[in-house]
Amino acid sequence: MNNLIILILMSTSITAQHTIPESIKEEAKIALSYYPELEHTVIQFRFKKKIKKSTMQAQPVFKSLFSKKKSYLILISEQFVIGNTKYETKNIPKDVLIGWLGHELGHVMDYENKSALGLIWFGIKYVFSKNHIKKAERTADTYAVYSGMEDYILKTKNFILKQAGIPEKYRKRIKTLYLSPEEIMEMVKERDLHKVL
């Protein structure tokens, strides 16, 4: 039993509030560094065999919704397929993984501003409304950009959209649901202008 506990601790990095698999520890810590507001937020990063229609997924832990302090789970698919190519998520380029994690942390930022009932309603709409999915994904991108992660977010988008053999249907879905590179650069200009004023 003691050996099992030691093995678990060796394979997972545990900070005060964040539980991170060792294989993505560096990337997750870099992404988290852009969100100082989440320093004391309980977030568990966990690999999953497969996530339907997604590579990563941020969600509140249901039993924490009605407690004083909400906690969150970021699920990461062990593998994903773009076109005809299968990727091991932990082996994709470092900056791309940081951007992906930064986007998911953008969802957590969005969730932090919602009540328990608001989050339940959010989840229901996410399942049934494509317009709501678009709004949620663009909001997560917006949080990431305003946190200073635009270079990582752009690298992630380029990685997804510029891979050879990517089906046009998937490319169109990404372009529809998420901020475009042009929108991101406009947002950066606006953000930087506010910093000067």
Side-chain angles (χ1 to χ4, degrees), residues 85-122:
T85 308
K86 187 183 281 188
Y87 297 90
E88 293 282 333
T89 304
K90 66 183 180 183
N91 294 333
I92 62 174
K94 179 178 177 175
D95 286 354
V96 172
L97 184 53
I98 292 167
W100 235 316
L101 293 168
H103 172 85
E104 295 308 317
L105 290 168
H107 282 298
V108 173
M109 289 290 292
D110 186 28
Y111 300 159
E112 280 282 88
N113 296 315
K114 298 183 188 323
S115 67
L117 291 175
L119 279 168
I120 292 168
W121 179 235
F122 176 94

Side-chain angles (χ1 to χ4, degrees), residues 23-36:
S23 61
I24 60 163
K25 175 182 169 184
E26 186 182 348
E27 293 84 353
K29 286 193 169 191
I30 291 169
L32 281 162
S33 73
Y34 285 87
Y35 295 96

Side-chain angles (χ1 to χ4, degrees), residues 19-191:
T19 307
I20 307 166
E22 194 63 38
S23 61
I24 60 163
K25 175 182 169 184
E26 186 182 348
E27 293 84 353
K29 286 193 169 191
I30 291 169
L32 281 162
S33 73
Y34 285 87
Y35 295 96
E37 309 90 333
L38 298 177
E39 182 183 354
H40 300 292
T41 304
V42 177
I43 304 170
Q44 181 181 8
F45 297 80
R46 186 192 303 161
F47 280 104
K48 189 177 178 182
K49 245 342 179 207
K50 190 176 180 184
I51 303 170
K52 192 176 179 184
K53 291 188 177 179
S54 191
T55 305
M56 294 188 193
Q57 188 177 69
Q59 59 191 45
V61 174
F62 187 78
K63 67 181 180 181
S64 76
L65 288 184
F66 297 96
S67 65
K68 286 185 180 179
K69 194 172 182 181
K70 293 193 286 277
S71 60
Y72 302 94
L73 181 62
I74 294 181
L75 296 173
I76 304 157
S77 183
E78 290 178 356
Q79 298 177 337
F80 63 98
V81 177
I82 296 180
N84 298 319
T85 308
K86 187 183 281 188
Y87 297 90
E88 293 282 333
T89 304
K90 66 183 180 183
N91 294 333
I92 62 174
K94 179 178 177 175
D95 286 354
V96 172
L97 184 53
I98 292 167
W100 235 316
L101 293 168
H103 172 85
E104 295 308 317
L105 290 168
H107 282 298
V108 173
M109 289 290 292
D110 186 28
Y111 300 159
E112 280 282 88
N113 296 315
K114 298 183 188 323
S115 67
L117 291 175
L119 279 168
I120 292 168
W121 179 235
F122 176 94
I124 291 167
K125 288 192 290 183
Y126 197 91
V127 171
F128 294 107
S129 167
K130 188 171 182 180
N131 283 338
H132 184 70
I133 293 172
K134 180 178 178 179
K135 183 179 176 187
E137 298 304 340
R138 293 169 71 89
T139 297
D141 272 351
T142 300
Y143 272 109
V145 170
Y146 274 96
S147 294
M149 295 198 74
E150 62 273 6
D151 290 341
Y152 293 113
I153 297 298
L154 288 169
K155 284 179 182 177
T156 303
K157 287 183 190 308
N158 287 334
F159 177 81
I160 295 167
L161 294 174
K162 294 188 176 177
Q163 296 300 311
I166 184 170
E168 188 55 38
K169 183 179 177 183
Y170 186 77
R171 194 186 311 266
K172 189 176 177 183
R173 182 175 185 267
I174 296 298
K175 287 179 178 177
T176 301
L177 296 179
Y178 299 84
L179 292 176
S180 69
E182 294 76 22
E183 288 172 305
I184 288 172
M185 295 320 296
E186 280 302 312
M187 211 173 271
V188 169
K189 283 182 194 171
E190 184 184 316
R191 180 199 71 198

